Amino acid sequence: MFSAFTRTGRSTASPATDVPPAVGIAYSIVVVPANAAGPRDQIRLAPGDRLHFGRSAPTGVDGTEDPTGTRHLRIEHPGVSRSAGEIVATGSHWSLSNFSPASTYVVENPEGAGEHIKVAPGRVGAPVPFEFSRIVLPAAGELIDFAVWAPRHDYVSGVPDDGSGEPTALAFPLDRDKRYFLVLAALCEPRLRGTPHAPLPTVDAVAERLRPVWPGANRAAVQWNIDYLAVKLRLKPGPDSADAGPRLNGKKEALVSLALRFDLVREDDLGTLTVVR
């Protein structure tokens, strides 16, 4: 795969701050071409900006800005359409148009549990909700991709609450100081390092990974914690339940998928796997 997305860890700084923006412009989307050597090669889009991509620029677009406000990302591959598509930036997300008459584009979330959206041929303005995205274009037997970052986050300033009634129960009550969380973090680590489809570590590999921070880690202890997590996260009934439920196949896969989908383990949590010296 010809890839622009080779992140090995999530930066704590916004990609949009690597290069100071022009005065008075609030960039909300950052496009990272496959051949980008650094921040200077990234393309920053303010809300309302458009970026055309394909083998050649449409009439009037010269790679910078034209009177319509559209810029161009050249993808020099014979399997990519001359006019392949367009990205439009909004405040905190972006949309993708697929100008190809035959190819479906895929937008992947490299930080998720395999989440992706498909943009059918001819689809215009498909909204993309991911903070980090990989656009994958099928091209004559190859997969071409480039990355899009949406670093701007808008949050509600406050929710009306008169303080009455019982507090809301936590959906997934996890204690990050417990050993079961170490096991969960170790299971999630390969996919949090930027490889969404990485194979999960074996139980023995998890025990080996945790030994520096948990000297007593072994196969039996790790497997016990995996079984405990499956019950705690309600993937299977507890041992005292009258209904044992169906056998849970792919227990590790189910745990990692749930943890990444709901951000129960984030990249910042991988620090728990490292001994502080």
Side-chain angles (χ1 to χ4, degrees):
M1 178 183 286
F2 182 50
S3 178
F5 212 106
T6 55
R7 296 174 58 252
T8 57
R10 179 172 172 178
S11 171
T12 55
S14 166
T17 62
D18 291 339
V19 175
V23 176
I25 297 180
Y27 294 105
S28 65
I29 304 299
V30 181
V31 179
V32 186
N35 58 354
R40 296 284 176 185
D41 297 323
Q42 298 169 3
I43 302 169
R44 286 161 169 72
L45 304 177
D49 284 353
R50 296 173 176 271
L51 178 68
H52 174 274
F53 60 89
R55 270 202 344 267
S56 59
T59 303
V61 179
D62 60 3
T64 55
E65 299 223 13
D66 74 356
T68 67
T70 302
R71 285 177 283 173
H72 176 66
L73 170 62
R74 186 180 302 277
I75 303 176
E76 296 181 352
H77 190 287
V80 175
S81 300
R82 286 185 292 275
S83 182
E86 185 179 67
I87 290 169
V88 179
T90 62
S92 58
H93 68 283
W94 53 282
S95 64
L96 174 65
S97 295
N98 180 356
F99 296 158
S100 169
S103 296
T104 294
Y105 299 162
V106 175
V107 184
E108 299 176 339
N109 175 13
E111 294 194 314
E115 293 95 345
H116 68 277
I117 63 172
K118 296 187 291 185
V119 182
R123 173 75 190 273
V124 175
V128 178
F130 307 138
E131 179 179 355
F132 293 98
S133 302
R134 179 190 288 116
I135 300 179
V136 183
L137 314 176
E142 293 187 71
L143 295 177
I144 308 298
D145 74 69
F146 60 94
V148 180
W149 298 342
R152 172 176 164 179
H153 302 163
D154 294 337
Y155 296 99
V156 64
S157 58
V159 179
D161 186 359
D162 60 7
S164 62
E166 295 295 324
T168 303
L170 293 174
F172 302 106
L174 293 177
D175 187 339
R176 282 168 162 71
D177 295 325
K178 300 294 185 182
R179 286 173 176 168
Y180 66 71
F181 189 80
L182 287 175
V183 171
L184 186 59
L187 287 173
C188 294
E189 184 178 26
R191 297 185 182 178
L192 283 172
R193 295 293 188 191
T195 310
H197 303 296
L200 299 183
T202 64
V203 172
D204 287 331
V206 170
E208 183 68 24
R209 176 71 176 91
L210 294 180
R211 208 154 282 137
V213 293
W214 177 15
N218 56 43
R219 179 182 178 84
V222 169
Q223 187 60 59
W224 186 92
N225 278 277
I226 289 173
D227 292 338
Y228 177 78
L229 281 164
V231 174
K232 187 173 184 64
L233 296 179
R234 297 186 290 279
L235 293 175
K236 62 176 293 185
D240 299 330
S241 173
D243 180 12
R247 178 179 176 81
L248 180 62
N249 295 316
K251 194 178 301 181
K252 292 189 299 179
E253 184 70 43
L255 283 170
V256 170
S257 179
L258 181 73
L260 296 182
R261 185 179 301 121
F262 289 100
D263 283 341
L264 306 185
V265 180
R266 297 188 173 101
E267 198 165 335
D268 293 345
D269 293 316
L270 298 182
T272 62
L273 306 178
T274 304
V275 176
V276 178
R277 300 187 184 277

